[in-house]
Amino acid sequence: MNKQNWTGFSKKTILQRIEHLEKLHFLTNSSSETLYQHRTLPLETADQMVENVLTTYNLPYALAPDFLVDGKTYQLPMVTEEPSVVAAASYAAKIIKRSGGFQTTIQNRQMIGQVALYQVPDLEQAKKDILANKEHLLQTANAAHPSIVKRGGGACDLRLDFVGNDPTFLVVYLIVDTKEAMGANIINTMMEALTLDLEQLSGGKSLMAILSNYATESLVTAQCTIDLRYLSRNKDEALELGQKMALASQLAQVDVYRASTHNKGIFNGIDALVLATGNDWRAIEAGGHAYACRNGQYQGLSSWHLDEQQHQIIGQLTLPMPIATKGGSIGLNPNVALSFDLLGQPDAKTLARLIVSLGLAQNFAALKALTSSGIQAGHMKLQAKSLALLAGASEKEVPLLVPQLLKSPHLNLETAQELLEKIRQ
Ligand code: NDP
């Protein structure tokens, strides 16, 4: 493989970027065609995917290159409409690579389904009877979806809990290895297959049988240790910045208003890669935000602290990441196939590691900007570009309009239109 040099990637034209990827052998013939021919989701396919289709909807598809994760470099495709997200991720990736990259751990990769039973006459007896029949119940679940067992997965454990005030519910949780799939359909089929047995064993009624998006058996952690000298050339300034970033991480633990925004920044990266790989981003968001509440209060998902010698800042992010490489809409969209090519055809566990690393990178960039120059300096330039485009500026007019917009006291569409008119006179 050619030596990878990503310097100036952002300054290239779209065509030059594609040629760069070709030179580095990151594209299959089919992916090259997808890019050169702007292939997107065919309308006929879209019409089969959801109801009442009128057209398809496009978003920018970008690349954040050179992420060093567990000793290997990856190029991460990102689908986002928000300016500055890709730039921030790329910047963070560069700094974190210099400091040794991301190290990840994955605790498990199993999904959880639940059957909620109510009007159970004797909760303790029901619990005993269900647990005594655990093996039979696991077999019933697996018989309902035998193909996942053939793939080496399937239902592997069953747990119970009483929930609610009285308690109202006896909830049966099924733990399932869904291999490369997210597993919603696999699990929903299994849970529905269990309801009759569970009603008979408990003497109660089944309220619902469904996958849980709180995927606590699919936790993934990404960590990075960044030398403070990469925060600023000035040693004192670098230390102060590191300390402020650690404080910002503390703030997100104790102030819900900040925690929400802190986590939104993390999901700026996560959602972009989840979308690019055709995964269900609502599922990932739901699991992540539920995990942020695991201590009884909504908190920041990442943490940053300085090492004892105060030479390095250490960041860590853990969250449920039940991502898939098979199933759902993954095989339907040519842009998703392109993403998997760019990522080097990762399996679900590797993809989960990459996504959490990207979330941590995004968080690093946001905290560094917030605690130093503030995010508006960088943001405003990109905001001005968006406004210029919105005002109707052409490719040639944008570079003329943006500097004028940045100098103007009111950065809004009206100003952009007025200035564009003057440029055109
Ligand atoms: P699918 O049912 O689309 O796909 C899973 C299937 O892919 C498996 O049953 C298996 O079928 C096949 N498959 C092929 N190769 C593999 C492999 N290596 N490992 C595992 N399976 C493989 O998707 P999911 O069950 O994963 O469900 C995801 C979809 O469900 C998403 O579209 C999501 O939006 C939606 N959904 C989400 C919900 C939620 O999050 N709460 C609720 C309901 C739906 P086979 O073995 O037979 O070939």
Side-chain angles (χ1 to χ4, degrees), residues 145 147-148 151 178-186 188 210-211 213 280 282-283 326-329:
H145 212 296
S147 61
I148 196 66
R151 294 185 188 281
T178 57
K179 299 314 257 185
E180 292 296 304
M182 184 266 225
N185 294 314
I186 299 172
N188 294 345
I210 180 96
L211 162 102
N213 288 111
D280 181 340
R282 288 88 56 207
K326 297 280 186 295
S329 71

Side-chain angles (χ1 to χ4, degrees), residues 124-137:
E124 286 299 341
Q125 188 58 45
K127 185 176 176 180
K128 266 189 213 151
D129 290 343
I130 291 171
L131 286 177
N133 283 279
K134 183 167 157 176
E135 283 313 309
H136 163 72
L137 292 166

Side-chain angles (χ1 to χ4, degrees), residues 238-301:
L239 179 60
E240 193 193 350
L241 193 48
Q243 287 165 337
K244 281 163 80 178
M245 286 176 69
L247 259 182
S249 135
Q250 277 180 37
L251 176 65
Q253 294 303 305
V254 292
D255 176 46
V256 181
Y257 286 88
R258 176 56 208 154
S260 171
T261 325
H262 181 96
N263 291 344
K264 190 274 181 183
I266 291 172
F267 279 100
N268 274 343
I270 288 181
D271 285 353
L273 182 47
V274 170
L275 257 173
T277 57
N279 271 277
D280 181 340
W281 75 95
R282 288 88 56 207
I284 301 297
E285 286 261 357
H289 294 299
Y291 192 68
C293 293
R294 69 195 177 284
N295 298 323
Q297 183 194 328
Y298 188 89
Q299 292 177 305
L301 285 159

